[in-house]
Each structure stands twice: as structure tokens, then as C-alpha cells.
Amino acid sequence: MAPRLTLAETQAFLGDLVRRADSLGSNCDTDLHACVFAVVAGNERLTPLEQAEIYREQFWLRHRDSLEEDFPALAQFLGADAFQSFARAYLAAVPPSSWTLRDLGLALPQFADGHDGFAEGSATIARELARFDLGFITVFDAAAAPPVDAAKVAAIAEEAWAGARIVLQPGLALFTFKHAIHEFRSAVRQGEDPQPKSIDARPVRLALYRGTDLRVHQAELTVAEHALLVALREGAPLSAACERALLAADNENRMPGADSLDPGEVEAKLGGWFAAWAARGWVTDVVTSP
Amino acid sequence: MTKTDTQRPARLGLPDLGCGIGFRIPHYAHVFDTKPAVDFLEIISENFMVDGGLPLKNLDRALADWRVVQHGVSLGIGASTPLDWDYLRRLKALTRHTGTPWLTDHLCWTRVPGADLHDLMPLPYTEEAVHHVAERVRIVQDFLELRVGLENTSSYLTYRASTLSEWEFVSAIATEGDCGILLDVNNVYVSAYNHGFDAYTYLEALPHERIVQIHLAGHTNKGAYILDTHSDFVVDRVWELYRHVISRVGDVTTLVEWDADIPEFDTLWGEAKKAAAIRDAVRAESHGA
């Protein structure tokens, strides 16, 4: 007679059992079957294996469905079968560890970066979609700081702006992609059935932010505006951030086939950008040196 | 001197809030626009344990017009892993925000070292598990400074190690842990079907004064077993069990859950009104007797 398991041992055994990839009925491991029969009682209608299988099946269904809900564009892009395989691989490699399903996909983009099971030619887009889908999750309920005080901004002396640090909303997410995946995702969310081949191989810079309606919105940014925001996010003073934006615009101009960008774009547009950022709630503070 | 259970007030002295419904996203717009006279709303705690955004805004709108009761799914009171203090701190902050009169979660385990199963895993009905859960629920109640009600879950497996019936197990934990019971009548029906026991025996055996809230829901009959899906109307046999409970326990806060294939708001509210009508009928019968 097998020794009786403690509560902790029982839970550890079942925890492993329900996370097994293959159905228990199809498993031919007689030792495993014996262990299940030693722990689970079964009844007249269901064997111990069948009882345990209910939980195993629900584990995979629940988490796969949750990932599909959180990564709608990636799921559409890969197709049902490929997404299911990918989700299973992810869940096997990165077991759910948080008390909230909201966190289930936090490590999915990182996993996708190292995943070699994508169809040929699709890995880059899949990885970009994984990052972008996750952005919607994290921005949706991110902590928010109050928007910048307009009176405080108005009181900043002109000469203080060069060294000012513009503090951005923590929930503002910035992305650089090689494909216009945001258009594909928008189509998915609108209930359309976009095909992977419709994704434009056009480099894009994107922002995700929570609007005043508290819903997540996306905005396409120019190279310079994106570079400026990234620099500000990293804590650069405004003058240094503008230099980085100019450099980025200049580098973009050197790219074959790039649209012509005016190197003076940053200075000319800075005021307008700042006003737009403030209106969207992206700016939470402007810190000037004493 | 400690009061015996039979001397305890009904519902452990907690109020009867009437008949409410689960506060679910598809109904938000309708609820906010029409402000239905539903007695209270029940939220899933974890859906609002976030840092900001729309969930908290919607919660505040609900709090402005309704009593809100918190129900959770991730406490994992029966798990052998240590209590998750980060989770509990967030939970406590939310209870302070909502002013929930009590907190409920499930009598189950949800996690093992290194993994959270996000499922309501059944416990073996043993003395070891009774002591384990009772100690943890006392700690949680002390920390939250709130009465906790543990919900009997639907289950699909039983353990060879069990030495107690489910009702003995639930009763022992409630008594030893000095906690409330969230009696899910549908779950009693589901587990009675799945494991072949008599639902009325179960209901009779519970310490009635510890029942602080009742849940009702629909389920899906798979033939060999019933799955607790919260996806349909409450079935007649569950209504009969509910009437029986109310006749024995008196008016207890009652909540109708519907979490999948969610219908129009008025359909769900109709189920809550049906529960209220049963309470009224039982009360009238007892007064006429």
C-alpha cells in the first residue's frame, strides 16, 4: 500500500498532473496511472484518470483562452492551430505564476523572441505583434499620475526650458516596429478578418496611451517625435532630448528611400508636440533646475 | 467564555443585503444608465486590484449608487504555499475602498510552488486540511479586519485520503476558523450529482448561523458530470434547494452569478427577483404558521 501523501504532497502531485501537456487517458505511463489511482478516488461514472482529466483540460483551456483574449492580433496572425501550439509552448516554458490572469502574458514577448517554431518569414511580425498586444494590457490599468499643472508650465522662464526635464505619464508606451502592425491589429479589433499578407512592411513608431475616456489609444509618431519622447522618458533634459531627436531625424534621412525630413523639424514642431502631449495627458510634470 | 455556535446570531451578526447580482462588464453601460434598484452588486475582487484606469473608474461609479460586496478567486486559502502577502495587502486596500461588509473566496487551493493554476482545486477532506485552512483563515481575517466567508466549490474529483464528508469538512473549518460560509447552493447540487451524495443532508448539516451569503448560478450537465459554468438559468432543483435553505436559515444575502454566455441585464435581474420572491414567500409562510 502506497504511503499516504501529506496535503502539500497531494497538491504538488495534482499541480504537476493538471499541467501535463497530453491527456491523461492517452498517456501510457502505468506508474503515473497507479499514482493517480492512489490519490484520486473516482466514482461509478468516472475513473480517477477521467476525474483528474477534467482539471487538466480546464487548465489548458482557461489559459489558452486567456492568452487568445490578451493577444488578439498575434492569434489572428498565426491562425488558430499555430497560436494554440505557441500558447502551449509558452505555458509549458513559463507556467502561470501570478494570482491574476492579467499577468499571464507578461513574459510572452520575451518568450516569442527566443521561440523558433514560427512559420518561415513570420517570426519578426509575430514578435512585434506580441509586444504590441501586451502593450494594450499594461497601459489599460497602469498607474496614472495627474496631468501637468498648466499654471506651473506657464510660469517656467524661457531660459529654464533647455534644462527642463519633462516627466511623462508612466503608462505611456513607445514602440518601434519594422511593420505597420497597428493597422492589422485595429482591423482585428474592429471585427474584420485581416490576412497576414496585408501587413505593410513599413517602419513605424507608435505610442499607446490611455485617453481621457480611460480607453487605450494608439498614435503613429514621426521619427523625431518618437526619439524625443524616448529621450525624455530616459530622463534627458529637453535640450539634450531635442539633439537626439534631430540626430534620429537626420539618420532617417540617410536611409535609402526615406521620406525627406527637415532637420529643423524638431525645433519647429516642439511647441505643437508639447501641446498635443499635454492634451493627451502624456505630460505629468516639468521639472526645472533651481 | 466562548459562545457556542448555537448561541451565535444569524449570519454571524452580518446584515442581510437582499438579492443582488454579479457586476459584469457587459452590463456596465445598462447599469450606469438606468440605475436599476438591485439590492447590491458583487464584484470579483481581482478584477479591481489594479493600479488605475477604467476598472477603478467603473468601481467608483458602482460604489456611488450601490452597496458593493467583494468576492475573490485567488486567495488560495487551502494552498500549502505561504499566504501571498502582496496579494493580501492589495486585497485589504480594496476592501477599505469598497467598504465591503465581509469578504468571500473559495474553500480550495489554487497554487503550488512556482505555479498558479487559476482553478478552484478541491481539498482532501482530512483533519490535516481542516487545521491548515482554519489557521490560515484566522490569519487572513485578522489581517483584513473583516469576516471572511468561504465558499463550498463545485468539484469533479474526490480523494482516497478523505476521511470526512464535504459538509463535515466545511462545517469543521467554519467552526475552527471562526469564519463565515458562502453557501453556493448550485455548487452543492453540482457536487451532489458528481459525487453521489444527498444535497439536503449537506444543507441540514451545516452550521446555519455561519452562512453569511448565498450564491446561485446555472451549470452545464455533461452527462457523466456537471460542470459549474455560470452560463445559464438557475435550474428548478437548485431553486428548491434554495427555498429549503431559506426556510431553515432565514433571509440571507443572495447573489445570482452569470459569467459565461451572459444574457441581457433584465434576464439576470429576473433571476435575482426570483430569489427575492422565494425569500418573501418563505417569510410569509413562516409568519402564517
Side-chain angles (χ1 to χ4, degrees):
Chain A
M1 184 176 168
R4 193 170 135 180
L5 301 180
T6 65
L7 182 62
E9 290 168 340
T10 300
Q11 293 179 0
F13 173 71
L14 272 174
D16 287 342
L17 200 65
V18 302
R19 286 183 288 149
R20 295 181 76 95
D22 299 325
S23 75
L24 302 176
S26 67
N27 190 298
C28 298
D29 183 344
T30 53
D31 288 343
L32 175 71
H33 288 196
C35 289
V36 174
F37 275 72
V39 173
V40 179
N43 61 30
E44 292 175 356
R45 292 192 295 262
L46 296 171
T47 66
L49 282 174
E50 288 168 334
Q51 287 191 331
E53 177 65 15
I54 294 171
Y55 287 94
R56 194 203 66 82
E57 191 174 89
Q58 289 296 317
F59 173 85
W60 290 102
L61 283 175
R62 179 181 310 104
H63 292 106
R64 188 201 65 198
D65 288 353
S66 182
L67 288 173
E68 191 171 349
E69 188 176 330
D70 288 351
F71 294 85
L74 178 61
Q76 170 76 13
F77 176 74
L78 294 179
D81 291 344
F83 182 79
Q84 180 162 330
S85 298
F86 174 72
R88 280 182 172 275
Y90 172 65
L91 292 167
V94 187
S97 59
S98 166
W99 50 265
T100 171
L101 280 172
R102 181 258 188 210
D103 293 347
L104 185 63
L106 289 184
L108 190 139
Q110 188 179 356
F111 175 78
D113 285 346
H115 183 65
D116 59 7
F118 293 121
E120 189 177 346
S122 67
T124 301
I125 294 176
R127 289 165 184 154
E128 291 185 344
L129 285 168
R131 285 170 57 205
F132 197 50
D133 274 336
L134 180 62
F136 281 81
I137 300 295
T138 55
V139 171
F140 177 69
D141 56 14
V148 66
D149 180 356
K152 179 180 180 180
V153 173
I156 296 173
E158 193 169 334
E159 62 272 19
W161 276 100
R165 295 178 192 275
I166 296 175
V167 182
L168 300 176
Q169 194 62 257
L172 174 68
L174 301 168
F175 300 93
T176 303
F177 296 128
K178 293 177 179 172
H179 305 82
I181 58 165
H182 61 306
E183 295 166 350
F184 180 80
R185 191 181 191 282
S186 294
V188 172
R189 296 303 289 167
Q190 287 165 17
E192 298 170 15
D193 185 26
Q195 297 304 301
K197 63 185 178 189
S198 70
I199 297 175
D200 190 5
R202 170 173 65 88
V204 291
R205 274 83 175 169
L206 302 171
L208 285 182
Y209 64 101
R210 207 161 61 216
T212 53
D213 60 356
L214 299 181
R215 300 190 184 282
V216 181
H217 298 268
Q218 62 189 33
E220 188 167 350
L221 308 172
T222 64
V223 172
E225 185 180 13
H226 179 270
L228 183 58
L229 285 165
V230 169
L232 293 172
R233 162 64 49 78
E234 292 171 357
L238 186 56
S239 59
C242 286
E243 285 175 17
R244 283 174 57 177
L246 279 167
L247 186 62
D250 191 42
N251 286 341
E252 185 74 3
N253 275 338
R254 296 172 197 273
M255 297 287 285
D259 292 335
S260 177
L261 287 171
D262 177 2
E265 178 189 38
V266 174
E267 288 177 30
K269 292 190 172 179
L270 184 57
W273 283 343
F274 186 86
W277 299 346
R280 288 170 169 169
W282 294 6
V283 180
T284 63
D285 200 4
V286 179
V287 180
T288 54
S289 301
Chain B
M1 185 174 155
T2 307
K3 282 183 176 178
T4 64
D5 272 357
T6 53
Q7 293 172 310
R8 288 184 180 276
R11 304 181 303 266
L12 297 178
L14 295 170
D16 165 35
L17 302 182
C19 296
I21 59 166
F23 185 50
R24 303 293 184 263
I25 290 172
H27 295 150
Y28 284 3
H30 180 86
V31 167
F32 293 144
D33 289 346
T34 65
K35 295 191 172 16
V38 62
D39 291 341
F40 72 97
L41 300 174
E42 186 188 77
I43 62 166
I44 302 298
S45 299
E46 289 78 4
N47 291 345
F48 300 92
M49 290 163 65
V50 295
D51 293 328
L54 199 52
L56 297 184
K57 171 83 170 179
N58 286 326
L59 176 59
D60 285 343
R61 291 184 72 181
L63 284 166
D65 288 300
W66 290 275
R67 190 71 181 260
V68 169
V69 173
Q70 279 182 233
H71 178 56
V73 294
S74 298
L75 178 59
I77 197 71
S80 295
T81 50
L83 288 167
D84 184 338
W85 289 100
D86 172 61
Y87 170 83
L88 287 170
R89 276 187 286 273
R90 281 174 169 264
L91 184 61
K92 184 172 185 176
L94 187 65
T95 64
R96 294 298 167 92
H97 188 72
T98 63
T100 184
W102 60 81
L103 178 102
T104 61
D105 204 303
H106 300 84
L107 180 48
C108 68
W109 57 281
T110 55
R111 68 180 72 99
V112 290
D116 197 308
L117 306 180
H118 298 117
D119 201 350
L120 310 174
M121 301 297 292
L123 286 154
Y125 305 142
T126 63
E127 294 293 340
E128 180 195 13
V130 168
H131 301 323
H132 176 72
V133 176
E135 181 184 9
R136 283 162 65 102
V137 77
R138 280 180 176 274
I139 293 169
V140 170
Q141 287 185 134
D142 286 348
F143 177 73
L144 296 178
E145 300 175 281
L146 265 181
R147 182 72 75 177
V148 169
L150 293 180
E151 177 182 344
N152 58 295
T153 60
S154 291
S155 62
Y156 314 106
L157 68 74
T158 49
Y159 296 92
R160 289 195 188 281
S162 290
T163 56
L164 304 169
S165 65
E166 183 176 331
W167 51 92
E168 289 170 333
F169 183 69
V170 172
S171 302
I173 287 171
T175 303
E176 188 174 321
D178 193 20
C179 66
I181 295 171
L182 165 53
L183 176 61
D184 190 315
V185 179
N186 177 62
N187 287 350
V188 172
Y189 178 81
V190 168
S191 291
Y193 179 94
N194 288 347
H195 307 309
F197 61 74
D198 176 53
Y200 288 92
T201 300
Y202 188 125
L203 297 175
E204 283 297 309
L206 294 176
H208 292 163
E209 70 284 352
R210 288 189 178 277
I211 298 174
V212 298
Q213 188 180 337
I214 290 174
H215 269 180
L216 296 166
H219 56 244
T220 302
N221 192 323
K222 300 274 193 180
Y225 64 97
I226 295 179
L227 202 57
D228 179 33
T229 49
H230 297 186
S231 61
D232 210 334
F233 290 94
V234 179
V235 301
D236 287 345
R237 287 192 168 182
V238 171
W239 284 121
E240 291 165 13
L241 291 170
Y242 176 66
R243 171 183 279 274
H244 180 78
V245 171
I246 294 297
S247 70
R248 307 292 287 172
V249 180
D251 286 343
V252 174
T253 302
T254 299
L255 185 284
V256 180
E257 299 176 291
W258 202 319
D259 296 307
D261 301 328
I262 296 177
E264 294 293 315
F265 176 83
D266 286 342
T267 302
L268 174 57
W269 196 17
E271 293 287 89
K273 288 174 177 173
K274 192 169 178 178
I278 289 173
R279 286 169 31 128
D280 291 344
V282 170
R283 200 182 312 114
E285 287 167 11
S286 66
H287 288 164

